[in-house]
Amino acid sequence: MAKVIAIANQKGGVGKTTTAINVAASLAVLEYKTLLVDADPQANSTTGNGFDLKNIQLSLYDCMVNDTPTSQAMLETDTPNLWLLPSHLDLVGAEIELIHHPNREHVMSVALGKQKDEFDFIVIDCSPSLGLLTVNALTAANSVIIPVQCEYFALEGLGKLLNTIKIIQTRINADLVIEGILMTMYDGRLRLSNQVVEEIKNHFADLVFNTIIHRNTKLGEAPSFGKPALLYDTESTGAINYLNLAKEILQKNNMTKIKNEDKIFENGNHVAD
């Protein structure tokens, strides 16, 4: 049974899609069969894996609105063990079309049903809002990763997201847990970055991942080449950070396999490019 992880933050520009793409790719490279679900109408996880939206025949929209089997819409990516359930601009209308659906919060969960037995992980890239699509993702998920940028106003809007998660836990998905808060866009040269990390850790303690994502040019460049950082530049800071995050997730869930890749990178102090 797949572990379903939603990547969510209604605040834009926090590294949400970058995290979804690279966590999914890292888990796949570590030989866990992974499905990346692009639940954002902007479709950046789709284009970030090298797919042209003009060539997308079926997408998450069709699975949610037209009951198209997920298996028919999935695409195999260039990353071994990684599949994509693409998004499309049509998805922007899904919230309106599903508004009167009797089970509207569970549509995504039902659509992903059969795939939960086919994959080790399902990673959902949520839209930057707290609308029906994000509620669907949190209803379908076992846990949620919350990216928070190491910049001014880092805590802005976080309370609203945590409140939404609490409502989902209370009313719809009692099993939903916070996988962790992920610090992104960290620059160790800046006092502000260190202050934000300290503040977040003081507020949320054990909920904060040990792994921190450094500000890194390769992470920004990789999507324009349609590749996760691991395929674009294996030795870049961004690739190593996300591989370490994937390993931390595996350790946290007691899912670590003993394989040679544990020797690829040492967990720790790789300086930003």
Side-chain angles (χ1 to χ4, degrees), residues 172-233:
I172 306 173
N173 182 3
D175 296 326
L176 179 67
V177 298
I178 296 175
E179 190 75 31
I181 293 172
L182 176 67
M183 304 306 303
T184 64
M185 304 179 189
Y186 174 79
D187 187 340
R189 298 167 298 180
L190 300 179
R191 181 185 299 174
L192 178 61
S193 283
N194 293 298
Q195 287 175 339
V196 170
V197 170
E198 187 176 345
E199 183 179 9
I200 295 290
K201 286 186 174 180
N202 285 339
H203 271 82
F204 299 104
D206 294 340
L207 283 179
V208 184
F209 283 111
N210 292 322
T211 304
I212 294 175
I213 309 302
H214 291 72
R215 186 175 290 280
N216 176 245
T217 55
K218 301 297 184 182
L219 281 177
E221 292 172 2
S224 65
F225 289 87
K227 295 179 179 181
L230 271 171
L231 293 192
Y232 179 62
D233 186 343

Side-chain angles (χ1 to χ4, degrees), residues 149-163:
Q149 81 279 34
C150 296
E151 295 179 357
Y152 198 58
F153 292 136
L155 292 171
E156 188 180 70
L158 193 55
K160 190 177 291 186
L161 174 59
L162 294 173
N163 189 52

Side-chain angles (χ1 to χ4, degrees), residues 35-36 38 45-46 49 51 73-75 77 82-86:
L35 173 64
L36 173 59
D38 191 349
S45 279
T46 300
N49 274 285
F51 294 99
M74 288 188 326
L75 301 169
T77 74
L82 179 63
W83 279 258
L84 172 75
L85 180 55

Side-chain angles (χ1 to χ4, degrees), residues 25-57:
S26 296
L27 290 168
V29 166
L30 294 174
E31 299 183 15
Y32 292 83
K33 189 177 179 183
T34 303
L35 173 64
L36 173 59
V37 178
D38 191 349
D40 185 348
Q42 297 177 83
N44 291 332
S45 279
T46 300
T47 57
N49 274 285
F51 294 99
D52 188 337
L53 297 185
K54 296 176 184 175
N55 299 326
I56 299 295
Q57 302 296 319

Side-chain angles (χ1 to χ4, degrees), residues 8-255:
N9 193 328
Q10 81 277 13
K11 194 167 184 283
V14 299
K16 177 183 59 61
T17 294
T18 298
T19 295
I21 290 173
N22 289 288
V23 165
S26 296
L27 290 168
V29 166
L30 294 174
E31 299 183 15
Y32 292 83
K33 189 177 179 183
T34 303
L35 173 64
L36 173 59
V37 178
D38 191 349
D40 185 348
Q42 297 177 83
N44 291 332
S45 279
T46 300
T47 57
N49 274 285
F51 294 99
D52 188 337
L53 297 185
K54 296 176 184 175
N55 299 326
I56 299 295
Q57 302 296 319
L58 295 169
S59 68
L60 177 62
Y61 170 84
D62 298 283
C63 300
M64 292 184 69
V65 175
N66 301 325
D67 296 323
T68 300
T70 308
S71 58
Q72 293 183 20
M74 288 188 326
L75 301 169
E76 192 168 359
T77 74
D78 291 335
T79 306
N81 301 313
L82 179 63
W83 279 258
L84 172 75
L85 180 55
S87 183
H88 194 274
L89 296 176
D90 291 343
L91 192 59
V92 77
E95 294 196 355
I96 297 171
E97 295 183 58
L98 293 173
I99 197 73
H100 297 300
H101 192 289
N103 248 345
R104 61 184 184 179
E105 296 91 356
H106 297 270
V107 175
M108 190 182 300
S109 183
V110 172
L112 295 175
K114 291 184 179 179
Q115 305 314 318
K116 293 176 184 177
D117 293 324
E118 300 293 325
F119 288 89
D120 297 310
F121 284 94
I122 297 175
V123 178
I124 306 174
D125 180 16
C126 297
S127 59
S129 73
L130 295 179
L132 187 55
L133 284 173
T134 298
V135 170
N136 260 263
L138 295 175
T139 301
N142 304 117
S143 66
V144 54
I145 291 175
I146 305 170
V148 175
Q149 81 279 34
C150 296
E151 295 179 357
Y152 198 58
F153 292 136
L155 292 171
E156 188 180 70
L158 193 55
K160 190 177 291 186
L161 174 59
L162 294 173
N163 189 52
T164 299
I165 291 170
K166 188 176 292 185
I167 292 170
I168 298 290
Q169 290 169 327
T170 303
R171 301 181 184 177
I172 306 173
N173 182 3
D175 296 326
L176 179 67
V177 298
I178 296 175
E179 190 75 31
I181 293 172
L182 176 67
M183 304 306 303
T184 64
M185 304 179 189
Y186 174 79
D187 187 340
R189 298 167 298 180
L190 300 179
R191 181 185 299 174
L192 178 61
S193 283
N194 293 298
Q195 287 175 339
V196 170
V197 170
E198 187 176 345
E199 183 179 9
I200 295 290
K201 286 186 174 180
N202 285 339
H203 271 82
F204 299 104
D206 294 340
L207 283 179
V208 184
F209 283 111
N210 292 322
T211 304
I212 294 175
I213 309 302
H214 291 72
R215 186 175 290 280
N216 176 245
T217 55
K218 301 297 184 182
L219 281 177
E221 292 172 2
S224 65
F225 289 87
K227 295 179 179 181
L230 271 171
L231 293 192
Y232 179 62
D233 186 343
T234 307
E235 296 183 355
S236 68
T237 301
I240 294 170
N241 287 164
Y242 277 110
L243 192 64
N244 286 333
L245 176 62
K247 290 179 181 179
E248 187 174 346
I249 292 168
L250 292 170
Q251 290 168 358
K252 189 174 182 179
N253 289 278
N254 297 314
M255 294 177 67

